[in-house]
Amino acid sequence: MTTDFGRTTLPYCSFVGVGEKRPRVGVGVGTDVLDLTAAAARFVPDRAGLFADGTLDRFLAAGADAWHEVRDALTAWVDDPSARAFLVPAAEVDLVLPFTVADYVDFYASEQHATNVGRLFRPDGEALPSAWKHLPMGYHGRAGTVVVSGTPVTRPSGQSRAASGHIDVGPSARLDLEAEIGFVVGVPSTLGRPVDVDRFEQHVFGICVVNDWSARDLQAFEYVPLGPFLAKSFATSVSPWIVPLAALSGARVEPPARDPHPPTYLQDEDPWGLDLELVVRINDTIVSRPPFASMYWTPAQMLAHLTANGASVRTGDLYASGTVSGPADDQVGSLLELSRNGAEPVKLDDGSCRTFLLDGDEVTISATAAAPGGGHIALGEVTGNVIARQP
Ligand SMILES: O=C(O)/C=C/C(=O)CC(=O)CC(=O)O
Ligand SMILES: [Ca+2]
Ligand SMILES: [Mg+2]
């Protein structure tokens, strides 16, 4: 589906034109892509070199002054008649992975999701892990298997324990989706120096929509005590559009109250979350509408925590929020929660039911944000088809 971005969001992508081989950097204008690699010389000549290689890598690294200068110049020029020559319908081009993914981290920042998963995975324990309200929990994922929207996802295979206690090796029978928002780091930090919670906007360029595919049967068997490993490393899908933070000023909201108060390094002078609505579709049936505004930990707290031990971030680092789940039954961001670990199948519009994903299923997660002047802006979508494991 082609997203209509209007003329103010101006998200970035990387695309390959009809009959071309090399990617170009693009900007979403309405339902078109503006060829920034070609057009930059026209309206922002001093920065044109940042887009020459067809990826966002150099632009991400260039920092906040460059990000604002390009966006301001683009905003002033995009309605000029001379811009029309650089537009191509988005439906006619191939959208590719827009930046080189350096490291990938996945958080666990939704209180509702963490509570739901705790109850399902550890019915005899406390729902929330004891450290959960003291720090944004997360794990290091696999950057090399981050794929762009539209890439087919092969059903993973691995070990799991059957109800009988027998250990099976084979294709996952509990393949799940996870609806998340991803944050793209532009400016690196220095090894040994944490990024202050107030310096988020000096490092993070923008956001994308993420599906962190998860094999629940593999996960349940392997995760104690080191956490997710092969259950989540086979594929993570991202939307092709990176929406700059500058387009999201109208979506800032106060985060939920913190109890207990987190330590100083997680205390922001002016904390903000984002009012985004995600929509999860399986084969065109809307199964959930997770609200991002309900996330307990903010994007700035996640970055501060990720670097609190002195670990540095690099250009192209991607960190995802963790599954977004709201309080209502139809606001949860995974099938694990929607089907209550397989006990309550979810009905699709074609009459079929799902507990977990079947081969051939198409999962699409889209998102919108509250807009600066009221209304909503589109953030694009991430889609992927499940394909059977090849023998
Ligand atoms: O064992 C648990 O509590 C659950 C772990 C996850 O599923 C981790 C994860 O991917 C985090 C998330 O997406 O919220
Ligand atoms: Ca996840
Ligand atoms: Mg993953």
Side-chain angles (χ1 to χ4, degrees), residues 150-229:
T151 307
V153 171
T154 302
R155 180 175 295 275
S157 205
Q159 294 194 36
S160 58
R161 192 187 296 278
S164 63
H166 180 78
I167 292 163
D168 288 332
V169 183
S172 168
R174 295 185 157 228
L175 180 60
D176 201 354
L177 60 99
E178 287 190 331
E180 310 197 11
I181 293 293
F183 297 86
V184 180
V185 173
V187 176
S189 67
T190 308
L191 188 64
R193 292 220 201 137
V195 176
D196 192 278
V197 68
D198 292 318
R199 291 194 49 82
F200 170 81
E201 286 169 82
Q202 272 69 54
H203 292 275
V204 171
F205 171 75
I207 72 171
C208 57
V209 189
V210 175
N211 183 354
D212 178 30
W213 306 90
S214 298
R216 300 303 181 187
D217 40 2
L218 277 52
Q219 183 182 356
F221 186 53
E222 76 174 4
Y223 85 105
V224 179
L226 294 185
F229 187 41

Side-chain angles (χ1 to χ4, degrees), residues 106-123 125-138 178-180 216 219 223 232 294-297 321-327 331-334 336-337:
D106 191 24
F107 280 95
Y108 195 34
S110 159
E111 180 173 2
Q112 211 63 56
H113 172 70
T115 304
N116 294 339
V117 174
R119 287 195 181 122
L120 294 168
F121 273 22
R122 297 171 285 276
E126 286 287 323
L128 271 188
S130 64
W132 198 90
K133 288 216 164 170
H134 296 274
L135 47 82
M137 288 190 168
E178 287 190 331
E180 310 197 11
R216 300 303 181 187
Q219 183 182 356
Y223 85 105
K232 288 169 184 277
S294 65
M295 299 300 272
Y296 188 86
W297 298 105
S321 59
T323 308
V324 183
S325 291
Q331 293 183 319
V332 294
S334 67
L336 175 73
E337 294 161 273

Side-chain angles (χ1 to χ4, degrees), residues 18 50 106 129 163 174 224 226 247 252 265 317 374:
V18 186
L50 297 177
D106 191 24
R174 295 185 157 228
V224 179
L226 294 185
R252 292 190 182 194
Y265 81 90
D317 276 11

